[in-house]
Amino acid sequence: GIYDPISAKIASQTVQKMVIRIQALSKPSESDNADAWITYENTLSRYVTVKEEHAQICKKELAILWGDYFRPDHLEKHPDLHDIFWKAAKLCGANKQRVDLDASKQLVTTVDKIAEIFWSTKNISWEDTVSEVRFGT
């Protein structure tokens, strides 16, 4: 198969973006009309749905990498890999359950760490993959 942590990275970043949007969403005042409340509730519902869907996508993509890609020799070079994946899975769940900017930042950081380890197993530097994604080089 073709393995790449980019889907998990995009999903984790989407979770963080939705948390930021949810926290920035202004609640209408009691005097606002029904349309303002409907718009608010609809927007909030969409943000929460996207956040939860992408936390689940992230968890799924990480499970694929963990179950199908990483091998015992990778664990020898990265003995904390079990712990990192366990933490990432727990962070996916926490981000589905709550709107917590710190948890979303931790998820992005943890997924970045997994991506860094993934690319190191291919003898490709993490910085090179980041610049390729950003600049298409």
Side-chain angles (χ1 to χ4, degrees), residues 74-130:
H74 298 145
L75 283 170
E76 288 175 16
K77 292 179 184 171
H78 305 280
D80 58 343
L81 202 52
H82 279 297
D83 224 26
I84 295 169
F85 268 96
W86 181 82
K87 181 180 178 185
K90 292 297 183 183
L91 285 166
C92 288
N95 276 286
K96 284 174 33 182
Q97 296 168 359
R98 299 188 308 270
V99 177
D100 181 340
L101 186 58
D102 287 337
S104 70
K105 288 178 180 180
Q106 289 174 19
L107 179 60
V108 170
T109 300
T110 305
V111 171
D112 283 348
K113 179 67 177 165
I114 291 168
E116 183 178 344
I117 292 169
F118 172 87
W119 288 111
S120 76
T121 67
K122 295 179 172 290
N123 296 318
I124 298 172
S125 82
W126 171 241
E127 291 78 22
D128 291 343
T129 64
V130 171

Side-chain angles (χ1 to χ4, degrees), residues 43-57:
T43 302
L44 178 61
S45 296
R46 284 188 2 258
Y47 290 168
V48 168
T49 299
V50 171
K51 176 186 68 75
E52 292 184 7
E53 287 173 348
H54 280 80
Q56 188 62 37
I57 289 167

Side-chain angles (χ1 to χ4, degrees), residues 18-27 47:
M18 290 302 105
V19 168
I20 291 167
R21 287 185 176 180
I22 290 166
Q23 290 180 338
L25 193 59
S26 296
K27 204 176 208 181
Y47 290 168

Side-chain angles (χ1 to χ4, degrees), residues 59-80:
K59 193 172 189 177
K60 176 186 169 229
E61 292 297 324
L62 291 174
I64 290 168
L65 285 174
W66 183 233
D68 296 349
Y69 177 75
F70 285 101
R71 303 182 311 253
D73 60 310
H74 298 145
L75 283 170
E76 288 175 16
K77 292 179 184 171
H78 305 280
D80 58 343

